[in-house]
Amino acid sequence: MDRRKFLSSSGLAIGLTAALPATLAANTKRTIIDDPKPLDGTWESVRSQFLIDISHIQMAQMLLASHPKPVRDAIQKHREEYDKNPVIYWEENSDRAEWEVAKAAARYMNVQPEEIALTDSTTMGTSLLFNGMKLKPGDEILSTTHDHYVTDKSIDYACERTGAIVKRIDEYKDPRTITVEEVKNNIANNITDKTRVVMVTWVHSCTGVKLPIRDLADVVEEANASRSPENRIYFAVDGVHGFGNQDEDISKLGCDFFSAGTHKWIFGPRGTGVLYGKRDAWDFIRPTIPAFSMNPYIMWMGYPPEGEVTFNQLMSPGGFHAFDHRWSLNAAFDFQMEMGRSNVHQRTTQLNSKLKEGIKNIKGVDLLTPEDPNLSAGINCFIVGKQNTNDSVKHFHDRNVIASSSPYRISYTRLTPCVINTDDEVDQSLNVLEDILKI
């Protein structure tokens, strides 16, 4: 297969925004408003925190988000201090700053900071997770056909290294008709005596489906009830597209591991992420990249650790990162907490329900994402008539609506409103959709 033809026909090129800057420059003059208002409980005040280009309707920040003012300010502060005296600033602040980020993430997730490893992305977190699993030849990883390329390849690499095997199943036949029982039964019926890991994705960026994670955790717990501790099943979740738009304590989801980038719905600094490891699952994971935290380092030097060696200390990759970004992640979690996790969830649900209702009422557009907010979140996938996804996304861009495509073997057009969007922008996007349907 010709690679360029495949990328074009699948929508991958635009889905990964390769052609986006040229498209925008050719169409309109950008309009940036820098006038942040104190957060006062209104979504207008939230929107004012972002330097978004209002000459375009931003409906693809689920790919890579804009930084709100508190995050921009934190990045600038760290950057200036590093430029003044980089070695001293790093030596005097590294341990404290990393711990502040872990604590902020833990507050938002309602877990312990010791359970949070700091990563650069969902990709890094998922890769570290599977590469570190203590699997044996013949152990089975139960995964699905709805997961992202990164999840598939992370599992494949783990199997090649350990001799484990992977079984990928369909969790549902059709996203339009998905039910909770269908998903639960498909997972439960495919767990075998060899299953050691169940891996799922919370919100599918291919279809917009949101899985009932707590229900699936119950399925895993039921299977574990008849197993010995050394043969238990571990439940892992790629959570990135529910993380920052759902009102869920990660500790109550019931998963053992949870990986998410924080430069999407969390509005964190670009190049940041978290990997959660439940305390009683730590023994199943070994580190891949040496950590720079104190305990691993002093143990290497021949001294005993100072207290417990935690998941945070072992699994946060060492090396020199973009610390001005990494150490500013706590500002993003604080911003989320100030908006209120429940408020963000309600607003996200309201905007996306409005969008889906509008799409359903446009004859000739096929909405794949469930209308039920219990089975969907902030991603809405659809087919525009007989158009190629690549063409549909370009038509949106030409009309100043920043849509995206799902980068999978079968690609769909996506609109993904978040709390920085307005009801009027949803209406305008629907008007554009009606317009491009006629092309």
Side-chain angles (χ1 to χ4, degrees):
M1 179 179 293
D2 183 271
R3 178 179 178 275
R4 292 186 179 181
K5 288 182 180 179
F6 168 71
L7 289 175
S8 177
S9 63
S10 68
L12 279 168
I14 288 186
L16 297 174
T17 66
L20 186 55
T23 303
L24 299 185
N27 286 308
T28 61
K29 182 178 180 180
R30 300 188 181 196
T31 303
I32 309 296
I33 298 177
D34 186 5
D35 186 23
K37 305 290 193 303
L39 292 184
D40 59 8
T42 66
W43 295 115
E44 290 81 4
S45 67
V46 170
R47 181 178 169 90
S48 76
Q49 302 293 311
F50 294 82
L51 291 177
I52 53 174
D53 176 7
I54 64 169
S55 65
H56 298 86
I57 297 176
Q58 306 291 338
M59 286 283 175
Q61 296 226 34
M62 51 79 67
L63 280 170
L64 193 62
S66 174
H67 293 158
K69 187 178 188 303
V71 174
R72 295 198 307 275
D73 289 348
I75 291 171
Q76 186 61 29
K77 172 185 175 295
H78 289 304
R79 182 173 295 157
E80 288 178 355
E81 293 300 324
Y82 265 111
D83 285 339
K84 291 175 185 175
N85 203 330
V87 173
I88 294 298
Y89 191 66
W90 180 72
E91 288 181 344
E92 291 183 348
N93 293 279
S94 182
D95 288 343
R96 178 196 59 79
E98 301 261 322
W99 188 238
E100 287 301 316
V101 172
K103 288 195 298 183
R107 285 194 298 270
Y108 180 79
M109 300 165 74
N110 195 25
V111 299
Q112 297 302 311
E114 293 84 359
E115 297 175 304
I116 301 291
L118 303 182
T119 69
D120 294 350
S121 61
T122 315
T123 298
M124 176 182 280
T126 303
S127 300
L128 292 171
L129 176 62
F130 278 96
N131 190 64
M133 287 181 177
K134 298 177 182 177
L135 296 163
K136 303 184 301 296
D139 285 347
E140 183 180 86
I141 300 172
L142 178 59
S143 183
T144 84
T145 59
H146 315 285
D147 297 314
H148 192 267
Y149 158 83
V150 165
T151 300
D152 278 1
K153 295 310 297 179
S154 295
I155 292 173
D156 289 345
Y157 296 153
C159 290
E160 290 171 8
R161 180 179 58 81
T162 64
I165 58 176
V166 58
K167 178 167 67 173
R168 293 188 172 97
I169 65 167
D170 295 333
E171 289 173 294
Y172 47 87
K173 289 184 178 179
D174 189 329
R176 305 172 189 85
T177 58
I178 182 178
T179 66
V180 171
E181 287 304 311
E182 179 185 17
V183 175
K184 288 174 59 180
N185 289 337
N186 283 335
I187 294 292
N189 293 338
N190 281 282
I191 291 176
T192 70
D193 291 341
K194 295 181 179 180
T195 304
R196 292 302 313 282
V197 179
V198 173
M199 174 70 194
V200 300
T201 298
W202 191 2
V203 179
H204 295 168
S205 57
C206 51
T207 61
V209 164
K210 180 180 76 176
L211 293 184
I213 298 298
R214 180 62 256 183
D215 290 298
L216 298 185
D218 292 341
V219 169
V220 174
E221 287 179 11
E222 183 176 349
N224 276 334
S226 59
R227 295 186 179 221
S228 61
E230 60 272 11
N231 195 42
R232 62 174 284 195
I233 300 170
Y234 292 88
F235 184 32
V237 175
D238 170 348
V240 66
H241 289 300
F243 194 50
N245 61 43
Q246 299 297 292
D247 186 17
E248 294 281 359
D249 283 359
I250 303 306
S251 62
K252 294 180 181 178
L253 282 179
C255 56
D256 297 295
F257 303 104
F258 181 96
S259 177
T262 47
H263 41 223
K264 296 177 184 283
W265 300 93
I266 293 291
F267 304 132
R270 287 176 280 276
T272 58
V274 293
L275 174 63
Y276 162 73
K278 190 176 180 181
R279 183 176 290 268
D280 68 5
W282 291 356
D283 286 346
F284 188 58
I285 303 296
R286 60 170 64 88
T288 297
I289 301 174
F292 272 15
S293 50
M294 186 55 64
N295 261 343
Y297 223 106
I298 65 174
M299 291 166 66
W300 172 75
M301 296 177 72
Y303 299 98
E306 297 179 356
E308 181 183 31
V309 182
T310 68
F311 189 81
N312 166 270
Q313 293 170 340
L314 278 178
M315 293 297 294
S316 296
F320 285 88
H321 304 269
F323 290 118
D324 45 355
H325 277 219
R326 185 178 226 184
W327 295 358
S328 300
L329 179 53
N330 56 317
F333 283 116
D334 291 344
F335 181 69
Q336 289 285 338
M337 297 291 281
E338 189 173 359
M339 287 190 292
R341 202 175 63 191
S342 176
N343 294 332
V344 170
H345 177 211
Q346 292 175 35
R347 178 60 170 168
T348 304
T349 301
Q350 182 257 314
L351 289 172
N352 283 274
S353 295
K354 178 184 178 74
L355 178 67
K356 283 183 287 190
E357 182 179 357
I359 293 174
K360 288 286 288 187
N361 290 329
I362 300 176
K363 188 176 181 180
V365 180
D366 183 8
L367 176 67
L368 285 90
T369 304
E371 293 179 79
D372 184 354
N374 292 313
L375 289 167
S376 59
I379 298 176
N380 307 283
C381 298
F382 52 93
I383 303 169
V384 184
K386 296 182 179 180
Q387 291 180 16
N388 176 278
T389 295
N390 193 10
D391 293 334
S392 297
V393 172
K394 184 178 184 302
H395 292 322
F396 271 112
H397 288 172
D398 288 344
R399 288 155 181 79
N400 304 322
V401 176
I402 311 304
S404 66
S405 62
S406 51
Y408 292 78
R409 294 178 181 90
I410 300 177
S411 181
Y412 303 113
T413 306
R414 301 183 298 199
L415 293 174
T416 57
C418 64
V419 294
I420 70 166
N421 293 113
T422 66
D423 288 88
D424 183 61
E425 287 183 328
V426 172
D427 290 333
Q428 291 182 57
S429 298
L430 290 168
N431 291 337
V432 168
L433 177 55
E434 287 187 298
D435 182 36
I436 67 176
L437 182 63
K438 302 172 186 176
I439 297 175

